Amino acid sequence: MATHLRFLALTVTTATAETTYRFDQPATVISGPSGAGKSSLLMLLKHAVGGTAVLTPAVRDHVHSVLASVVVGEQHVLLKRTISGDRSDLVDVLDPETMALQHSLGTRAEEGQRSLSDVLLDALGFPREKIPTTRNGKATTLNLTFTHLFRYVYLEARDLDRQVVGHLDNHFKKQRKVLFELMFGLTTSPVMELERQVNQLTTDLRKAEAEEENVGSFLRATDPRTDDELRTELAGLRDMLHNAETTLRALRSAVSESSAADAVLRGDLRAAVQTATAATQEVLAARELVEARESVVAQVELDLQRLERSATAIDQLAPFHFVVCPRCAQRLDARTVPEDHCGVCLQADPAEEDTDPAAVQEARSALEQQLQDARELLRADTEVLRRARERSSEAEFLATNLRRQLDAQTRDVVAPRFDAISDASARVAALNAGIDAVLHLRDSWARVRAIAQGARDITARRKAANAELKTRRAENDARRSLVTELSRLFSATLMELHLPWEQSALVDPATYLPVVDNTPFESLQASGGALQAGVNIAYHLALLECGLTHPDILIPSILLIDSPRRALGSNREDQERGRRIYGRFKALTDAYGPRLQLIIADNDTAPLPDDAFSTIELDYTRPMVPGVTHPGPEHTTRTEHGYEA
């Protein structure tokens, strides 16, 4: 049977008032004159379940929030949503008993977050699917949401004579068809998963084929040699490399054998070089010591000279009383000179021991002894340096002679082979470079082959997926009889309405859209909007009844229609057709009772006995928005007051 969806009540809250509209019976008619708020009430039902509703200025300016009491599948939920503000994209799910907040769910699907659509679809038992599609050449998916499904059960006034379930909306085209197929079981979740796999594999195959072509074209443009030619060339290069390496090893072996004969001489040369190196180090050490001794001798000589000058000055100048400066000849007798200070430099006179001749002589003797000792050490160290230099010269001479002997002994044997070894090494290096270049090209061709193999693997997997998809679709083809049944119900319903000129009617098995007299819906406009409105209503009534009579059709068991009689026309024949439509409404409610729900907004009350449907009556004194004074009928067409015409 159809999936159960039913509105129990809708509470509209403004800043100053609150009104609850109940939908207790299987069918409810919302009646009233233009501008009283009938269409807005239906739009608020859509808004409460997360849809994008067209709200009038009166609703946007005055209504704060709506609270819908809804039965979805086996669950009773309360859905509260504000009209505007930061939280208008959230719907609060309340506990029906305690009114406690259970969840705040977004109306739009966010990655990794559960949305209101997910909750409602799960409660309906309707599969949450992603439709495979392609965008910019890449496989992607389109989400199916509850608001998409709601378009199958809500006939808005603006679309009643214009389009069927938004079929003119190109962005909704795929969702509309897939929703129909899911409702009627013409497709299933496994089938859609296979379709997504095929779609992704097709994208992967295009990518692999394009990559294979791009890489292959680049290789052919940069190097004309084919992979077979490169393979042959590589074999030749490896043969030449083998020969070149053999030649190089032979040359190096010959040089090694010649070098073995000179091993003794080379050993003597190494020993001589080591001896020469040690002798050189000994010379350096001896020279440093001699330089240190020379510094000591020079310092002692300097100290002795200083002592001699000081003693001479004291002896010769002490008896003189200077009256003029001996340097600049200025007079000194005018100055006051402290006692025990020099009359020339004004410094304190030296202590007596500093001028004692015996002390001076003792210091002189000590310095002369130091000088003699230092000179003796210097002569000894100079002799050591001389002998070290002789040993170094002898070692250098020996090493040079040995080196000359080795050069003379090996010149005729080794040197000629050095050029041959160099040439052979260069050839080996060139051949290795050539092999590396060929291997690089062959690796690139190997990549092309790997890409081609990957493309073949993808092709095989896609073929297998398509075969399984074909099998599963064939299994579902038996259910296409349901579309035939829908066509029969649609045709019967349309005949009951006595639409003019109508001779045949069916539901297209490819598009799932109504076709009347072999004419698609959008081409019926030439016969007038009333014909299209009647066809649209008949199509949705047939969908609803087909779902009610077949337990495995998942269409929701509710239908909302906005202003059906206004779309049909106003003359006597049109009014009679309106009564027939209402008669069809009553026949459905009599047959299925609480299993379905009809909510109809219309200018007048239902043309049926008063007890057939429950009624919500709106007028200018009691408009839909509570607590807001209606401007009156003369203003209903003025949009600035916020009421629909």
Side-chain angles (χ1 to χ4, degrees):
M1 61 176 293
T3 59
H4 193 52
L5 179 64
R6 183 182 184 88
F7 288 100
L8 301 180
L10 181 73
T11 299
V12 181
T13 302
T14 65
T16 59
E18 186 175 89
T19 298
T20 297
Y21 300 98
R22 302 198 61 82
F23 309 95
D24 297 322
Q25 299 300 318
T28 301
V29 175
I30 306 169
S31 65
S34 297
K38 305 180 301 297
S39 297
S40 292
L41 186 54
L42 294 183
M43 281 289 178
L44 287 176
L45 291 173
K46 178 182 179 181
H47 183 76
V49 295
T52 302
V54 180
L55 302 176
T56 62
V59 173
R60 294 196 304 270
D61 294 344
H62 300 289
V63 177
H64 176 264
S65 65
V66 291
L67 177 67
S69 177
V70 192
V71 175
V72 188
E74 301 296 326
Q75 300 182 30
H76 178 204
V77 296
L78 294 180
L79 304 177
K80 184 177 182 181
R81 185 180 180 187
T82 59
I83 299 302
S84 59
D86 295 339
R87 300 192 80 256
S88 61
D89 287 337
L90 295 174
V91 176
D92 293 335
V93 181
L94 309 179
D95 184 280
E97 300 295 332
T98 64
M99 298 291 289
L101 176 64
Q102 294 179 328
H103 309 285
S104 288
L105 301 173
T107 58
R108 297 183 179 88
E110 297 290 342
E111 188 68 28
Q113 295 184 358
R114 190 167 170 82
S115 67
L116 178 66
S117 172
D118 298 332
V119 171
L120 295 178
L121 288 178
D122 287 346
L124 285 175
F126 199 91
R128 287 192 284 126
E129 287 294 342
K130 295 180 181 292
I131 304 172
T133 186
T134 302
R135 183 179 302 164
N136 298 326
K138 296 182 179 179
T140 184
T141 56
L142 298 172
N143 289 327
L144 286 179
T145 67
F146 178 81
T147 54
H148 292 146
L149 183 62
F150 200 71
R151 297 184 76 165
Y152 264 97
V153 299
Y154 181 19
L155 280 74
E156 297 184 23
R158 60 180 180 175
D159 291 334
L160 201 57
D161 59 357
R162 191 174 69 90
Q163 60 180 341
V164 179
V165 197
H167 80 286
L168 297 180
D169 183 356
N170 287 330
H171 297 292
F172 184 60
K173 183 177 180 180
K174 288 187 177 181
Q175 289 98 321
R176 180 191 65 78
K177 288 190 64 176
V178 174
L179 281 168
F180 186 97
E181 291 171 348
L182 285 170
M183 288 189 296
F184 278 74
L186 304 178
T187 190
T188 59
S189 293
V191 168
M192 295 196 68
E193 174 59 27
L194 283 171
E195 289 175 343
R196 287 191 289 270
Q197 289 181 18
V198 170
N199 195 41
Q200 183 62 54
L201 288 170
T202 300
T203 298
D204 294 344
L205 180 59
R206 290 198 191 102
K207 180 180 178 182
E209 290 174 341
E211 186 177 8
E212 178 188 1
E213 175 59 28
N214 291 337
V215 176
S217 297
F218 173 78
L219 290 175
R220 286 187 290 272
T222 54
D223 195 308
R225 292 173 292 180
T226 65
D227 190 40
D228 290 338
E229 292 171 340
L230 290 171
R231 184 169 57 253
T232 302
E233 183 176 342
L234 180 61
L237 287 172
R238 282 174 171 165
D239 288 341
M240 287 188 286
L241 176 62
H242 174 72
N243 295 333
E245 288 177 338
T246 300
T247 301
L248 181 59
R249 283 194 299 271
L251 288 170
R252 285 175 173 168
S253 177
V255 171
S256 297
E257 291 173 0
S258 175
S259 297
D262 304 326
V264 175
L265 186 57
R266 291 180 185 276
D268 292 342
L269 176 59
R270 282 194 298 271
V273 170
Q274 292 174 355
T275 302
T277 301
T280 301
Q281 294 298 324
E282 185 180 355
V283 168
L284 292 175
R287 186 165 55 203
E288 289 178 358
L289 185 58
V290 167
E291 290 174 353
R293 299 298 187 194
E294 289 175 344
S295 297
V296 171
V297 169
Q299 183 61 47
V300 174
E301 288 177 344
L302 184 62
D303 291 343
L304 188 59
Q305 291 173 6
R306 186 182 300 111
L307 180 63
E308 292 294 339
R309 286 196 300 271
S310 176
T312 301
I314 292 173
D315 291 342
Q316 295 182 2
L317 298 179
F320 294 99
H321 177 69
F322 287 90
V323 294
V324 294
C325 176
R327 178 178 179 276
C328 62
Q330 296 186 62
R331 295 192 64 81
L332 301 176
D333 52 3
R335 295 189 304 170
T336 301
V337 179
E339 188 177 356
D340 298 329
H341 281 66
C342 176
V344 178
C345 65
L346 299 181
Q347 295 189 68
D349 289 336
E352 291 183 1
E353 58 270 18
D354 293 339
T355 60
D356 183 10
V360 171
Q361 181 58 40
E362 183 179 354
R364 181 183 298 111
S365 298
L367 287 173
E368 288 174 348
Q369 184 61 45
Q370 289 179 15
L371 179 61
Q372 182 180 354
D373 294 342
R375 284 172 175 168
E376 287 295 330
L377 291 174
L378 176 60
R379 282 193 293 271
D381 291 339
T382 301
E383 180 61 23
V384 171
L385 175 60
R386 184 187 64 77
R387 289 196 298 270
R389 283 173 172 167
E390 288 178 355
R391 287 193 296 272
S392 177
S393 297
E394 291 172 358
E396 287 288 345
F397 180 75
L398 178 60
T400 300
N401 283 338
L402 289 172
R403 192 176 288 110
R404 287 173 179 171
Q405 291 177 36
L406 180 62
D407 290 344
Q409 191 169 326
T410 60
R411 184 180 301 112
D412 298 332
V413 178
V414 177
R417 291 189 174 92
F418 282 160
D419 291 339
I421 290 174
S422 177
D423 293 341
S425 298
R427 179 159 177 74
V428 168
L431 288 170
N432 277 319
I435 289 173
D436 288 343
V438 172
L439 286 174
H440 179 72
L441 285 172
R442 292 211 67 203
D443 287 344
S444 298
W445 280 112
R447 180 187 172 196
V448 173
R449 292 194 299 274
I451 296 169
Q453 182 59 50
R456 288 192 292 271
D457 293 342
I458 293 172
T459 301
R461 296 205 305 274
R462 187 177 68 163
K463 183 178 179 180
N466 272 322
E468 186 178 355
L469 181 59
K470 183 177 180 181
T471 300
R472 289 187 175 272
R473 282 174 174 169
E475 293 171 355
N476 295 331
D477 281 346
R479 296 188 59 82
R480 291 202 167 268
S481 61
L482 293 174
V483 182
T484 304
E485 174 65 13
L486 176 64
S487 284
R488 186 190 64 77
L489 283 173
F490 169 58
S491 179
T493 303
L494 205 56
M495 286 184 177
E496 288 185 21
L497 302 184
H498 290 184
L499 290 176
W501 312 111
E502 184 262 322
Q503 298 295 319
S504 66
L506 58 85
V507 174
D508 190 309
T511 64
Y512 314 123
L513 292 172
V515 176
V516 177
D517 293 337
N518 298 319
T519 303
F521 182 85
E522 58 270 17
S523 299
L524 296 175
Q525 185 65 43
S527 300
L531 177 58
Q532 287 181 304
V535 169
N536 209 354
I537 293 171
Y539 175 76
H540 281 82
L541 290 174
L543 277 173
L544 178 60
E545 186 172 7
C546 199
L548 292 168
T549 55
H550 290 82
D552 49 0
I553 292 180
L554 299 179
I555 189 165
S557 59
I558 187 173
L559 188 59
L560 290 74
I561 308 177
D562 190 359
S563 306
R565 284 188 289 176
R566 185 175 65 181
L568 291 171
S570 58
N571 60 35
R572 186 165 57 84
E573 291 80 3
D574 295 332
Q575 292 175 1
E576 175 59 27
R577 194 169 295 112
R579 282 191 291 272
R580 289 179 179 276
I581 287 178
Y582 272 87
R584 186 63 185 154
F585 293 161
K586 186 174 185 305
L588 287 173
T589 57
D590 289 344
Y592 301 103
R595 291 172 55 193
L596 63 75
Q597 184 175 38
L598 297 173
I599 302 178
I600 303 107
D602 218 337
N603 280 10
D604 299 321
T605 57
L608 295 170
D610 292 341
D611 60 349
F613 298 157
S614 65
T615 303
I616 296 174
E617 295 185 1
L618 304 174
D619 55 33
Y620 300 132
T621 61
R622 293 175 301 167
M624 188 276 297
V625 180
V628 178
T629 302
H630 195 286
E634 67 276 11
H635 296 291
T636 57
T637 59
R638 297 177 61 185
T639 58
E640 65 267 26
H641 290 289
Y643 289 87
E644 72 266 31

